[in-house]
Amino acid sequence: MSAVTIAATLLTIVGSALAGPCSVPGGYPTIQSAVNDVTCDPINVAPGAYNENVTVFRNVTINGSQAGNNDFTTRSANPAGESIVNGSTPVGAVPVFSVTAADVTIDGFTIKNTVTSGAAVGIAVRGGGDDAAIMSNIFDTITTPDAGGNGTAQAIYLTSGGADGTNIENNEMKNIKSFRSAKCVLIGDNGPTNNPSQN
């Protein structure tokens, strides 16, 4: 075995040993800062409001405070118990969560995105985001006032050219509103050859 191979193997072992659960905001001020730390998995997000747009560029599980809980009647009656992520980019199609890596799980959040122009998107699963799991989330108030061609709203957007094998399970979607087109789930509308499969 060469020295380079041994060093790479040791780095992999050490990196795996260091990987473990991380808390937001306990150890990290934002969800994005925890995602940026490749040793964090899973990321456990406490109840509260988080004003950010998160790019998920690696395989990771991100648990809101209601992970696994799809009792939406009880959850809606207790918003203080929710991990609420509000999109913080008011212009253009910037999703609250943008998934660009395979095997990402987003579970147990309330997701909101009110924009002033352009498209409003809750979660976008893009090229490379195969086998994502989007579960037990409340999508509430994904909306845009834009009356132009880009004034659309989607709770979940599975783009063309990726997102194969996505599991969307036990989510509640409400107040998805726009002038042009509003959809709970939009599957691949931009025309490349590899459109996501519908199962």
Side-chain angles (χ1 to χ4, degrees), residues 41-92:
D41 191 15
I43 297 168
N44 299 313
V45 182
Y50 303 86
N51 300 316
E52 58 180 307
N53 296 81
V54 182
T55 299
V56 188
F57 58 88
R58 64 181 180 91
N59 171 331
V60 65
T61 295
I62 308 174
N63 292 319
S65 58
Q66 300 296 328
N69 181 2
N70 58 14
D71 181 353
F72 298 118
T73 301
T74 302
R75 286 176 61 181
S76 294
N78 181 29
E82 293 289 319
S83 304
I84 302 169
V85 188
N86 298 294
S88 62
T89 304
V91 177

Side-chain angles (χ1 to χ4, degrees), residues 1-10:
M1 212 184 260
S2 72
V4 172
T5 303
I6 293 169
T9 303
L10 288 173

Side-chain angles (χ1 to χ4, degrees), residues 9-56:
T9 303
L10 288 173
L11 183 60
T12 301
I13 292 168
V14 170
S16 298
L18 294 176
C22 293
S23 298
V24 178
Y28 295 83
T30 64
I31 300 167
Q32 186 67 66
S33 65
V35 171
N36 292 347
D37 183 345
V38 297
T39 66
C40 287
D41 191 15
I43 297 168
N44 299 313
V45 182
Y50 303 86
N51 300 316
E52 58 180 307
N53 296 81
V54 182
T55 299
V56 188

